[in-house]
Amino acid sequence: MGIITEEARKWADREYPPFEMHVSATDIAKFAHATGETNPIHFDRAVAQAAGYHDVVAPTLFTYVVRMHASALVPADQLEPDGSPSADVPPLPTKRAMAGETAVEVGERVVAGDVITVEKRLADMYEKEGRSGPLVFVDMEFTFTNQRGELVARETFTRIYR
Amino acid sequence: MSLPELGTEAPVQARTPTALDLFMFSASSWLLHRIHYDAPFTIEHDGHPGLLIHGPLQGVYLVQTAESWLGESARLRSVSYRHLAPAYLGDTLECGGHVTAADDEGVEMELWARKPDGTVTTTGKARFER
């Protein structure tokens, strides 16, 4: 007997409206400092321009910032008590969530001034028995493109509910 | 610049994110999950001993370990990582990796983050190309 109800199962293959993020040099600097980056290409426009870019360059996994804004930049009443965006959380009896596997294919770099569009889909959900009870795995898929239509990244991310 | 050979190891980088680092990562990515900044909630609701170091932050640490070693010689093309054990505020994560395949275009690496007691918290694979 599983804990994924018929109602929850309807969330599989769910598509979300595309989200656009206008990426600023400030957004890039915040993420770079938060992750301890020291390469000035992320903070100093002159250094980035000397390397052939028109503005500062985002760290390689910056697309994480884009997809989190796509999920969580909503009014506070659209968040779960634990802060998770309600639109991402299928109706499950589980109370706690944690990060599972992530896989990213990297394409074009993100540069300040880019407009990145992320298309998002809840691809699948399935259940496994864990040490302390049932675990539900929810697979999300993301495709990131820039304002020129170039592929910036594809990502799959599994969130685990217990 | 030449790429490293098969079997070569990247220098281990020890990372000990502070509460400030965890908050900056949550804030800069707009990750609102309370288990990374609200200690009473994390302990009482989720049953953890303390605030969790974000999985995606550990993913960044793995990539940085390789990128800072490879320098300008190669660029990340793909990475995947998964979490085997939780990492908490106060934990030091020793991040390292080695080359598992090398060809004319690039290298593949296995990457890991572990606590000083040997517990591996995150493990990953990445490909870098010229």
Side-chain angles (χ1 to χ4, degrees), chain A residues 30-31 33-37 39 60-61 64-65 67-69 72-74 79 81-84 95-109 159 162, chain B residues 15 21 24-25 27-35 37 41 45-48 54-57 59-61 63-64 67 72 75-84:
Chain A
K30 283 181 183 173
F31 184 70
H33 288 310
T35 54
E37 289 281 357
N39 188 336
T60 30
L61 293 181
Y64 177 70
V65 175
R67 78 163 170 82
M68 281 316 304
H69 280 79
L73 194 58
V74 294
L79 299 170
D82 73 352
S84 301
K95 295 281 177 278
R96 294 161 294 185
M98 55 190 176
E101 184 158 356
T102 298
V104 189
E105 282 174 57
V106 182
E108 295 297 317
R109 283 200 183 256
R159 200 163 195 238
R162 64 185 172 96
Chain B
R15 312 288 296 255
D21 292 319
M24 286 195 294
F25 188 79
S28 67
S29 55
W30 204 254
L31 169 64
L32 306 179
H33 200 184
R34 286 165 68 176
I35 62 172
Y37 56 86
F41 176 90
H45 181 271
D46 276 33
H48 289 290
H54 316 72
L57 178 58
V60 171
Y61 288 165
V63 168
Q64 287 176 337
E67 281 181 338
E72 298 300 312
R75 219 198 122 196
L76 181 71
R77 285 297 168 202
S78 62
V79 61
S80 64
Y81 56 86
R82 63 198 184 96
H83 312 293
L84 306 180

